[in-house]
Amino acid sequence: MSTEEMRQEQQFVSLAHERLDQLRGEAEAAVRATMAQVSTGRQARVERDIEVAEQSASLSALNAADSGLCFGRIDRRDGVTYHIGRTGIRRDDAERTPLLIDWRAPVARPFYLATGYEPLGLRRRRHITTEGRTVTALHDEIMDLADPTRTGYESHDADEVLLAALNGARTGRMADIVSTIQAEQDHIIRAPQHGVLVVEGGPGTGKTAVALHRAAYLLYAHREQLAKRAVLIVGPNPAFLGYIGEVLPSLGETGVLLATVGELYPGVHATGTDSPAAAAVKGRAEMAGVLAEAVRDRQQVPEKGEPIVIAHDDGELVLDWDIAVEARHKARETGLPHNLARPYFAFRIIDDLTTQLADRIGEDPYGGPNFLGPDDIAQLGKAVAASAEVHAAIASLWPPLTPEEFLADYLADPTHLDGEDADLIRRSGGPWTPADVPLLDEAAELLGEDDSAARAAAEAERARQIAYAQGVLDVSYASRTYEFEDKEDVDADASEVLAAHDVIDAERMAERQEEIDHRSAAERAAADRTWAFGHIIVDEAQELSAMAWRLLMRRCPTRSMTLVGDPAQTGDLGGCDSWERMLAPHVEDRWRLARLEVNYRTPAEIMDYAAGRRRGTDPGFSPPRSIRSTGVAPWERTVELADVAALAAAEAPEEGRLAVIAPRELHAELTGLGDDGPLDLSRPVVLLDPRQAKGLEFDTVLVVAPERMLPNDLYVALTRATQRLGVVTPASATPSPAAAG
């Protein structure tokens, strides 16, 4: 019986892969055919681009599904059987019968939720293990104990497949968990899209995996909407984004932008570094008001009694305090950002100067009425408006500003802050830092972008292209007319022959020459600061500053967000250890909380050790419950820093990865553990600081100098291991002031 079951599953998997190959060929052909279409008009091109994006996503899903295509099967009590896989596949028959069910489809949900107590209509659940296209193992769970059928693959441990996955060696890249999603995780993954969902869980509870699979589920359930708007996933650092970067492509989803907060201002690469205290000052919510005041400071007026005198062909013009104050009041009254309100300020100044000039030129020496008519005054107004000196005077009072130049000037001389905070963030020159990016975004909102000149230039260029296209059509029409007029024997049907001007007009012809944007929605979103995402997922959400939250809320006006994190792991001084304080300014109490209580990553021995260290500063601390034990207790040792590399080499597993986690200030002394290039998590041994280790996991971890780490950072470092943990105290080490505090 058991051999026959294995043979049948192997036949099914082979059939599914044959159909997969066929569908992949069809998808490739569809993408090529759609790309080759000649579309006219902007809307047609947009629709074509969306179609290409959807077809490309389908092709990616088919390519990704090749490895581990089918991983499960459910046998229902009504006799219906469904195979569950990474993507959905239908048979090539008239009814389009389902061959393989996508793991996100509603009919697949009992595979994740059914239990012996609540079988959800199932007789049996089967886990199928494959290597490439070959079935290597079957694990059956009996849901209906009254069913006498047995296959020989019944599992004695319901968690056997899960534990095998958890005990597997790490590769330096996160893998998907579609075959082992647990019930508490499934409820979160399939939660409604709307609103803000906060997912809280301690180390190893699968928060990141749940968030990524939620992104894949939402893209499946709301494909049309999210394909156009894209999904943004925000991570704590570039190393983390590299670690998770293969999960969604492996699930066939490409309509996602992965970024840190420091990468969310197009054109800015935040390579600089702030001190923790400086980053905390920049991240405070008060900085929004501080920057707003700093912008108002740039909207100036002359001192009373010290007017600006402007040279003009018809005599000097005087721009005094009264004129400027009234103009500034009218401009501010519009409520527009600085650059967009500036024209109102300029128009009022020009109007007042024109009146001043008209009164002087048209003055009747005998006391009669001004002899200048409306047309004369209008001409004077044009002359004043065209004056470079007038514009220079206006610019000195209300200058046009870019966010970059404004913030650079502000950081060189911070105002509206107390002296200590101002000293912390004061900087002249240097690269932007991640904490600067939310300030740049805030400045962009306060300043606005006056794109009237760019729009006028674009309209002028479009008019030029239409005129050129019309000229081409006119030449075509004239040539055709001349051709027929010169012939004595003209075919009676010649006049029915269609020419270019018969089938297309100049505007449509000009549109065909416009450059087509073939970028995906995610690529367009990365280049557009004002892009509104369909959904945002934030990992390690507790680390974000108040200013970073202002930036993200602008990126998602619908407030469709999933936030995952653990306040107990807050490390940044600008972070927040309370969801209420974090979200209240943006959504008040309109958010939902879901908790993950089970620790899948960290063995009980390591979790108990980490919790014991944490209780030294937080006696009431309660960790998540670990579901597995390795029997290997963490060890402690005192060694010289120079010997840590040799210790790491001795402790490195034959398969898997080892991380040495140490305070940043000790890295220079830990020779032989890393290089100066980009962090590569696929290396057998990597050197990290606690902040870089957030969200990552390794088979073995050595924590160096725990006494120099802040309590939350130490908790993060101690909970990264899946198998073994060593704690190293450097000989003659002394606690850092921060850790001691």
CSV table of all heavy atoms in Angstrom, one decimal, residues 96-144:
chain,number,residue,atom,x,y,z
A,96,ARG,N,-11.3,23.3,-17.5
A,96,ARG,CA,-10.2,23.9,-16.7
A,96,ARG,C,-10.2,23.4,-15.3
A,96,ARG,O,-10.2,24.2,-14.3
A,96,ARG,CB,-10.4,25.4,-16.8
A,96,ARG,CG,-10.5,26.0,-18.1
A,96,ARG,CD,-9.1,26.0,-18.8
A,96,ARG,NE,-8.2,26.9,-18.2
A,96,ARG,CZ,-6.9,26.9,-18.5
A,96,ARG,NH1,-6.4,26.0,-19.3
A,96,ARG,NH2,-6.1,27.8,-17.9
A,97,THR,N,-10.3,22.1,-15.1
A,97,THR,CA,-10.3,21.5,-13.8
A,97,THR,C,-9.0,21.8,-13.0
A,97,THR,O,-7.9,21.7,-13.5
A,97,THR,CB,-10.4,19.9,-14.0
A,97,THR,OG1,-11.5,19.6,-14.9
A,97,THR,CG2,-10.7,19.3,-12.6
A,98,PRO,N,-9.2,22.2,-11.7
A,98,PRO,CA,-8.0,22.4,-10.9
A,98,PRO,C,-7.2,21.2,-10.8
A,98,PRO,O,-7.7,20.1,-10.4
A,98,PRO,CB,-8.6,22.9,-9.6
A,98,PRO,CG,-10.0,23.3,-9.9
A,98,PRO,CD,-10.5,22.5,-11.0
A,99,LEU,N,-5.9,21.3,-11.0
A,99,LEU,CA,-4.9,20.2,-10.9
A,99,LEU,C,-4.2,20.4,-9.5
A,99,LEU,O,-4.0,19.5,-8.8
A,99,LEU,CB,-3.9,20.2,-12.0
A,99,LEU,CG,-2.8,19.2,-12.0
A,99,LEU,CD1,-3.4,17.8,-12.1
A,99,LEU,CD2,-1.8,19.4,-13.1
A,100,LEU,N,-3.8,21.7,-9.3
A,100,LEU,CA,-3.1,22.0,-8.1
A,100,LEU,C,-3.7,23.3,-7.5
A,100,LEU,O,-3.9,24.3,-8.3
A,100,LEU,CB,-1.6,22.2,-8.4
A,100,LEU,CG,-0.6,22.3,-7.2
A,100,LEU,CD1,-0.6,21.0,-6.4
A,100,LEU,CD2,0.8,22.7,-7.7
A,101,ILE,N,-3.9,23.4,-6.2
A,101,ILE,CA,-4.6,24.5,-5.6
A,101,ILE,C,-3.5,25.5,-5.0
A,101,ILE,O,-2.6,25.0,-4.3
A,101,ILE,CB,-5.5,24.1,-4.4
A,101,ILE,CG1,-6.6,23.1,-5.0
A,101,ILE,CG2,-6.1,25.3,-3.8
A,101,ILE,CD1,-7.5,23.7,-6.0
A,102,ASP,N,-3.6,26.7,-5.3
A,102,ASP,CA,-2.7,27.7,-4.7
A,102,ASP,C,-2.8,27.8,-3.2
A,102,ASP,O,-4.0,27.7,-2.7
A,102,ASP,CB,-3.0,29.1,-5.3
A,102,ASP,CG,-1.9,30.2,-5.0
A,102,ASP,OD1,-1.7,30.5,-3.8
A,102,ASP,OD2,-1.2,30.7,-5.9
A,103,TRP,N,-1.7,27.8,-2.5
A,103,TRP,CA,-1.8,27.8,-1.0
A,103,TRP,C,-2.6,28.9,-0.4
A,103,TRP,O,-3.1,28.8,0.7
A,103,TRP,CB,-0.4,27.8,-0.4
A,103,TRP,CG,0.4,29.1,-0.7
A,103,TRP,CD1,1.1,29.4,-1.8
A,103,TRP,CD2,0.5,30.2,0.2
A,103,TRP,NE1,1.7,30.7,-1.6
A,103,TRP,CE2,1.3,31.2,-0.4
A,103,TRP,CE3,0.0,30.5,1.5
A,103,TRP,CZ2,1.6,32.4,0.2
A,103,TRP,CZ3,0.3,31.7,2.1
A,103,TRP,CH2,1.1,32.6,1.5
A,104,ARG,N,-2.8,30.0,-1.2
A,104,ARG,CA,-3.6,31.1,-0.7
A,104,ARG,C,-5.1,31.0,-1.0
A,104,ARG,O,-5.8,31.9,-0.5
A,104,ARG,CB,-3.0,32.4,-1.4
A,104,ARG,CG,-1.6,32.7,-1.0
A,104,ARG,CD,-0.9,33.7,-1.9
A,104,ARG,NE,-0.7,33.2,-3.2
A,104,ARG,CZ,0.0,33.9,-4.1
A,104,ARG,NH1,0.6,35.0,-3.8
A,104,ARG,NH2,0.2,33.3,-5.3
A,105,ALA,N,-5.5,30.1,-1.8
A,105,ALA,CA,-6.9,29.9,-2.1
A,105,ALA,C,-7.7,29.5,-0.9
A,105,ALA,O,-7.2,28.7,0.0
A,105,ALA,CB,-7.1,28.9,-3.2
A,106,PRO,N,-9.0,29.9,-0.8
A,106,PRO,CA,-9.8,29.6,0.4
A,106,PRO,C,-9.9,28.1,0.6
A,106,PRO,O,-9.9,27.6,1.7
A,106,PRO,CB,-11.1,30.2,0.1
A,106,PRO,CG,-10.8,31.4,-0.8
A,106,PRO,CD,-9.6,30.9,-1.6
A,107,VAL,N,-10.0,27.3,-0.5
A,107,VAL,CA,-10.2,25.9,-0.4
A,107,VAL,C,-9.0,25.2,0.2
A,107,VAL,O,-9.1,24.1,0.8
A,107,VAL,CB,-10.5,25.3,-1.8
A,107,VAL,CG1,-9.3,25.2,-2.7
A,107,VAL,CG2,-11.1,23.9,-1.6
A,108,ALA,N,-7.8,25.8,0.2
A,108,ALA,CA,-6.6,25.3,0.8
A,108,ALA,C,-6.5,25.5,2.3
A,108,ALA,O,-5.6,25.0,2.9
A,108,ALA,CB,-5.4,25.8,0.1
A,109,ARG,N,-7.3,26.4,2.8
A,109,ARG,CA,-7.1,26.8,4.2
A,109,ARG,C,-7.2,25.7,5.2
A,109,ARG,O,-6.4,25.7,6.2
A,109,ARG,CB,-8.1,27.9,4.5
A,109,ARG,CG,-7.7,28.7,5.7
A,109,ARG,CD,-8.5,30.0,6.0
A,109,ARG,NE,-7.8,30.8,7.0
A,109,ARG,CZ,-8.4,31.8,7.6
A,109,ARG,NH1,-9.6,32.1,7.3
A,109,ARG,NH2,-7.8,32.4,8.6
A,110,PRO,N,-8.0,24.7,5.1
A,110,PRO,CA,-8.0,23.6,6.0
A,110,PRO,C,-6.7,22.9,6.2
A,110,PRO,O,-6.4,22.3,7.2
A,110,PRO,CB,-9.1,22.6,5.5
A,110,PRO,CG,-10.0,23.5,4.7
A,110,PRO,CD,-9.1,24.5,4.1
A,111,PHE,N,-5.8,23.0,5.1
A,111,PHE,CA,-4.5,22.4,5.2
A,111,PHE,C,-3.7,23.0,6.4
A,111,PHE,O,-2.9,22.3,7.1
A,111,PHE,CB,-3.7,22.6,3.9
A,111,PHE,CG,-2.3,22.0,3.9
A,111,PHE,CD1,-2.2,20.6,3.7
A,111,PHE,CD2,-1.2,22.8,4.1
A,111,PHE,CE1,-0.9,20.1,3.7
A,111,PHE,CE2,0.0,22.2,4.1
A,111,PHE,CZ,0.2,20.9,3.9
A,112,TYR,N,-4.0,24.3,6.7
A,112,TYR,CA,-3.3,25.0,7.8
A,112,TYR,C,-4.0,25.0,9.1
A,112,TYR,O,-3.4,25.1,10.1
A,112,TYR,CB,-3.0,26.4,7.3
A,112,TYR,CG,-2.1,26.5,6.1
A,112,TYR,CD1,-2.7,26.9,4.8
A,112,TYR,CD2,-0.8,26.1,6.1
A,112,TYR,CE1,-1.9,26.9,3.7
A,112,TYR,CE2,0.0,26.2,5.0
A,112,TYR,CZ,-0.5,26.6,3.8
A,112,TYR,OH,0.3,26.6,2.7
A,113,LEU,N,-5.3,24.9,9.0
A,113,LEU,CA,-6.1,25.1,10.3
A,113,LEU,C,-6.7,23.8,10.9
A,113,LEU,O,-7.0,23.8,12.1
A,113,LEU,CB,-7.3,26.0,10.0
A,113,LEU,CG,-6.9,27.4,9.5
A,113,LEU,CD1,-8.2,28.3,9.3
A,113,LEU,CD2,-6.0,28.1,10.5
A,114,ALA,N,-6.8,22.7,10.1
A,114,ALA,CA,-7.5,21.5,10.6
A,114,ALA,C,-6.7,20.9,11.8
A,114,ALA,O,-5.5,20.9,11.8
A,114,ALA,CB,-7.7,20.5,9.5
A,115,THR,N,-7.5,20.4,12.8
A,115,THR,CA,-6.9,19.7,13.9
A,115,THR,C,-7.7,18.5,14.1
A,115,THR,O,-8.9,18.3,13.6
A,115,THR,CB,-6.8,20.5,15.2
A,115,THR,OG1,-8.2,20.8,15.6
A,115,THR,CG2,-6.1,21.9,14.9
A,116,GLY,N,-7.2,17.5,15.0
A,116,GLY,CA,-8.0,16.4,15.3
A,116,GLY,C,-9.3,16.8,16.0
A,116,GLY,O,-10.3,16.1,15.9
A,117,TYR,N,-9.2,17.9,16.8
A,117,TYR,CA,-10.4,18.3,17.6
A,117,TYR,C,-11.4,19.0,16.6
A,117,TYR,O,-12.6,18.9,16.8
A,117,TYR,CB,-10.0,19.3,18.7
A,117,TYR,CG,-11.1,19.9,19.5
A,117,TYR,CD1,-11.8,19.1,20.4
A,117,TYR,CD2,-11.5,21.2,19.3
A,117,TYR,CE1,-12.8,19.6,21.2
A,117,TYR,CE2,-12.5,21.7,20.0
A,117,TYR,CZ,-13.2,20.9,20.9
A,117,TYR,OH,-14.2,21.5,21.7
A,118,GLU,N,-10.9,19.7,15.7
A,118,GLU,CA,-11.7,20.4,14.7
A,118,GLU,C,-11.2,20.2,13.3
A,118,GLU,O,-10.4,21.0,12.7
A,118,GLU,CB,-11.7,21.9,15.0
A,118,GLU,CG,-12.8,22.7,14.2
A,118,GLU,CD,-13.0,24.1,14.7
A,118,GLU,OE1,-12.3,24.5,15.6
A,118,GLU,OE2,-13.7,24.9,14.0
A,119,PRO,N,-11.6,19.0,12.7
A,119,PRO,CA,-11.0,18.6,11.4
A,119,PRO,C,-11.4,19.4,10.2
A,119,PRO,O,-10.8,19.2,9.1
A,119,PRO,CB,-11.4,17.2,11.3
A,119,PRO,CG,-12.7,17.1,12.1
A,119,PRO,CD,-12.5,18.0,13.2
A,120,LEU,N,-12.4,20.3,10.3
A,120,LEU,CA,-12.9,21.1,9.2
A,120,LEU,C,-13.2,20.3,8.0
A,120,LEU,O,-12.9,20.6,6.8
A,120,LEU,CB,-11.8,22.1,8.8
A,120,LEU,CG,-11.4,23.1,10.0
A,120,LEU,CD1,-10.3,24.1,9.4
A,120,LEU,CD2,-12.6,23.9,10.5
A,121,GLY,N,-13.8,19.1,8.2
A,121,GLY,CA,-14.3,18.3,7.1
A,121,GLY,C,-13.2,17.4,6.5
A,121,GLY,O,-13.5,16.8,5.4
A,122,LEU,N,-12.0,17.3,7.1
A,122,LEU,CA,-10.9,16.5,6.5
A,122,LEU,C,-10.9,15.1,7.1
A,122,LEU,O,-11.2,14.9,8.3
A,122,LEU,CB,-9.6,17.2,6.7
A,122,LEU,CG,-9.4,18.5,6.1
A,122,LEU,CD1,-7.9,18.9,6.2
A,122,LEU,CD2,-9.8,18.6,4.6
A,123,ARG,N,-10.5,14.1,6.2
A,123,ARG,CA,-10.2,12.8,6.7
A,123,ARG,C,-8.7,12.7,7.0
A,123,ARG,O,-8.3,12.0,8.0
A,123,ARG,CB,-10.5,11.7,5.7
A,123,ARG,CG,-12.0,11.5,5.4
A,123,ARG,CD,-12.3,10.3,4.5
A,123,ARG,NE,-11.6,10.4,3.3
A,123,ARG,CZ,-10.5,9.7,2.9
A,123,ARG,NH1,-10.0,8.9,3.8
A,123,ARG,NH2,-10.0,9.9,1.7
A,124,ARG,N,-7.9,13.3,6.1
A,124,ARG,CA,-6.5,13.2,6.2
A,124,ARG,C,-5.8,14.4,5.7
A,124,ARG,O,-6.3,15.1,4.7
A,124,ARG,CB,-6.0,11.9,5.4
A,124,ARG,CG,-4.5,11.7,5.4
A,124,ARG,CD,-4.1,10.5,4.7
A,124,ARG,NE,-4.6,10.5,3.3
A,124,ARG,CZ,-4.4,9.5,2.4
A,124,ARG,NH1,-3.8,8.4,2.8
A,124,ARG,NH2,-4.8,9.6,1.2
A,125,ARG,N,-4.6,14.7,6.2
A,125,ARG,CA,-3.8,15.8,5.7
A,125,ARG,C,-2.4,15.2,5.4
A,125,ARG,O,-1.8,14.5,6.3
A,125,ARG,CB,-3.6,17.0,6.7
A,125,ARG,CG,-2.6,18.0,6.3
A,125,ARG,CD,-2.6,19.2,7.2
A,125,ARG,NE,-2.6,18.9,8.6
A,125,ARG,CZ,-3.1,19.6,9.6
A,125,ARG,NH1,-3.7,20.8,9.3
A,125,ARG,NH2,-3.0,19.3,10.8
A,126,ARG,N,-1.9,15.5,4.3
A,126,ARG,CA,-0.6,14.8,3.9
A,126,ARG,C,0.4,15.9,3.6
A,126,ARG,O,0.1,16.9,2.8
A,126,ARG,CB,-0.8,14.0,2.6
A,126,ARG,CG,0.5,13.6,1.9
A,126,ARG,CD,0.3,12.5,0.9
A,126,ARG,NE,0.0,11.2,1.5
A,126,ARG,CZ,-0.3,10.1,0.9
A,126,ARG,NH1,-0.3,10.1,-0.4
A,126,ARG,NH2,-0.5,9.0,1.5
A,127,HIS,N,1.6,15.8,4.1
A,127,HIS,CA,2.7,16.7,3.8
A,127,HIS,C,3.6,15.9,2.8
A,127,HIS,O,4.0,14.7,3.1
A,127,HIS,CB,3.5,17.0,5.0
A,127,HIS,CG,2.8,17.8,6.0
A,127,HIS,ND1,2.8,19.2,6.0
A,127,HIS,CD2,2.0,17.5,7.0
A,127,HIS,CE1,2.0,19.7,6.9
A,127,HIS,NE2,1.5,18.6,7.6
A,128,ILE,N,3.9,16.5,1.7
A,128,ILE,CA,4.7,15.9,0.6
A,128,ILE,C,6.1,16.6,0.6
A,128,ILE,O,6.1,17.8,0.3
A,128,ILE,CB,4.0,16.0,-0.7
A,128,ILE,CG1,2.6,15.3,-0.7
A,128,ILE,CG2,4.8,15.4,-1.8
A,128,ILE,CD1,1.8,15.6,-1.9
A,129,THR,N,7.1,15.8,0.7
A,129,THR,CA,8.5,16.4,0.7
A,129,THR,C,9.1,16.0,-0.7
A,129,THR,O,9.0,14.8,-1.1
A,129,THR,CB,9.4,15.8,1.8
A,129,THR,OG1,8.7,16.1,3.1
A,129,THR,CG2,10.8,16.5,1.8
A,130,THR,N,9.6,17.0,-1.4
A,130,THR,CA,10.2,16.8,-2.7
A,130,THR,C,11.6,17.3,-2.7
A,130,THR,O,12.0,18.2,-2.0
A,130,THR,CB,9.4,17.4,-3.8
A,130,THR,OG1,9.3,18.8,-3.5
A,130,THR,CG2,8.0,16.9,-3.8
A,131,GLU,N,12.4,16.8,-3.6
A,131,GLU,CA,13.7,17.3,-4.0
A,131,GLU,C,13.7,17.5,-5.5
A,131,GLU,O,13.8,16.5,-6.2
A,131,GLU,CB,14.8,16.3,-3.5
A,131,GLU,CG,16.2,16.8,-3.7
A,131,GLU,CD,17.2,15.9,-3.1
A,131,GLU,OE1,17.0,15.2,-2.2
A,131,GLU,OE2,18.4,15.9,-3.7
A,132,GLY,N,13.6,18.7,-5.9
A,132,GLY,CA,13.4,19.0,-7.3
A,132,GLY,C,12.1,18.5,-7.7
A,132,GLY,O,11.0,18.9,-7.1
A,133,ARG,N,12.0,17.6,-8.7
A,133,ARG,CA,10.7,17.0,-9.1
A,133,ARG,C,10.5,15.6,-8.6
A,133,ARG,O,9.6,14.9,-9.1
A,133,ARG,CB,10.7,17.1,-10.7
A,133,ARG,CG,10.9,18.5,-11.2
A,133,ARG,CD,10.6,18.5,-12.7
A,133,ARG,NE,10.7,19.8,-13.2
A,133,ARG,CZ,10.2,20.2,-14.4
A,133,ARG,NH1,9.5,19.4,-15.2
A,133,ARG,NH2,10.3,21.5,-14.8
A,134,THR,N,11.2,15.2,-7.6
A,134,THR,CA,11.1,13.9,-7.1
A,134,THR,C,10.5,13.9,-5.7
A,134,THR,O,10.9,14.7,-4.8
A,134,THR,CB,12.5,13.2,-7.0
A,134,THR,OG1,13.0,13.2,-8.4
A,134,THR,CG2,12.4,11.7,-6.5
A,135,VAL,N,9.5,13.0,-5.4
A,135,VAL,CA,8.9,12.9,-4.1
A,135,VAL,C,9.9,12.1,-3.3
A,135,VAL,O,10.3,10.9,-3.6
A,135,VAL,CB,7.5,12.2,-4.2
A,135,VAL,CG1,7.0,12.0,-2.8
A,135,VAL,CG2,6.6,13.1,-5.0
A,136,THR,N,10.3,12.6,-2.1
A,136,THR,CA,11.2,11.9,-1.2
A,136,THR,C,10.6,11.4,0.1
A,136,THR,O,11.2,10.5,0.7
A,136,THR,CB,12.4,12.8,-0.9
A,136,THR,OG1,11.9,14.0,-0.2
A,136,THR,CG2,13.2,13.2,-2.1
A,137,ALA,N,9.5,12.0,0.5
A,137,ALA,CA,8.9,11.5,1.7
A,137,ALA,C,7.4,12.0,1.8
A,137,ALA,O,7.0,13.0,1.2
A,137,ALA,CB,9.6,12.1,2.9
A,138,LEU,N,6.6,11.2,2.5
A,138,LEU,CA,5.2,11.5,2.8
A,138,LEU,C,5.0,11.4,4.3
A,138,LEU,O,5.5,10.6,5.0
A,138,LEU,CB,4.3,10.5,2.1
A,138,LEU,CG,4.4,10.4,0.5
A,138,LEU,CD1,3.4,9.3,0.0
A,138,LEU,CD2,4.1,11.7,-0.2
A,139,HIS,N,4.2,12.4,4.8
A,139,HIS,CA,3.8,12.4,6.2
A,139,HIS,C,2.3,12.6,6.3
A,139,HIS,O,1.8,13.7,5.9
A,139,HIS,CB,4.5,13.5,6.9
A,139,HIS,CG,6.0,13.3,6.9
A,139,HIS,ND1,6.7,12.6,7.9
A,139,HIS,CD2,6.9,13.8,6.0
A,139,HIS,CE1,8.0,12.6,7.6
A,139,HIS,NE2,8.2,13.4,6.5
A,140,ASP,N,1.6,11.6,6.8
A,140,ASP,CA,0.1,11.7,6.8
A,140,ASP,C,-0.3,12.0,8.3
A,140,ASP,O,0.2,11.4,9.2
A,140,ASP,CB,-0.5,10.4,6.3
A,140,ASP,CG,-0.4,10.3,4.8
A,140,ASP,OD1,-0.1,11.3,4.2
A,140,ASP,OD2,-0.7,9.2,4.3
A,141,GLU,N,-1.3,12.9,8.4
A,141,GLU,CA,-2.0,13.1,9.7
A,141,GLU,C,-3.4,12.7,9.5
A,141,GLU,O,-4.2,13.2,8.7
A,141,GLU,CB,-1.9,14.6,10.0
A,141,GLU,CG,-0.5,15.1,10.3
A,141,GLU,CD,-0.5,16.6,10.6
A,141,GLU,OE1,-1.1,17.0,11.6
A,141,GLU,OE2,0.0,17.4,9.8
A,142,ILE,N,-3.9,11.8,10.4
A,142,ILE,CA,-5.2,11.3,10.4
A,142,ILE,C,-6.1,12.3,11.2
A,142,ILE,O,-5.9,12.6,12.3
A,142,ILE,CB,-5.4,9.9,11.0
A,142,ILE,CG1,-4.4,9.0,10.2
A,142,ILE,CG2,-6.8,9.4,10.9
A,142,ILE,CD1,-4.7,8.8,8.8
A,143,MET,N,-7.1,12.9,10.5
A,143,MET,CA,-8.1,13.8,11.1
A,143,MET,C,-9.3,13.1,11.6
A,143,MET,O,-10.0,13.5,12.6
A,143,MET,CB,-8.5,14.9,10.1
A,143,MET,CG,-7.3,15.7,9.7
A,143,MET,SD,-6.7,16.8,11.0
A,143,MET,CE,-4.9,16.8,10.6
A,144,ASP,N,-9.7,12.0,10.9
A,144,ASP,CA,-11.0,11.3,11.2
A,144,ASP,C,-10.5,9.9,11.7
A,144,ASP,O,-10.2,9.0,10.9
A,144,ASP,CB,-11.8,11.1,10.0
A,144,ASP,CG,-13.1,10.4,10.2
A,144,ASP,OD1,-13.4,10.0,11.4
A,144,ASP,OD2,-13.9,10.2,9.3
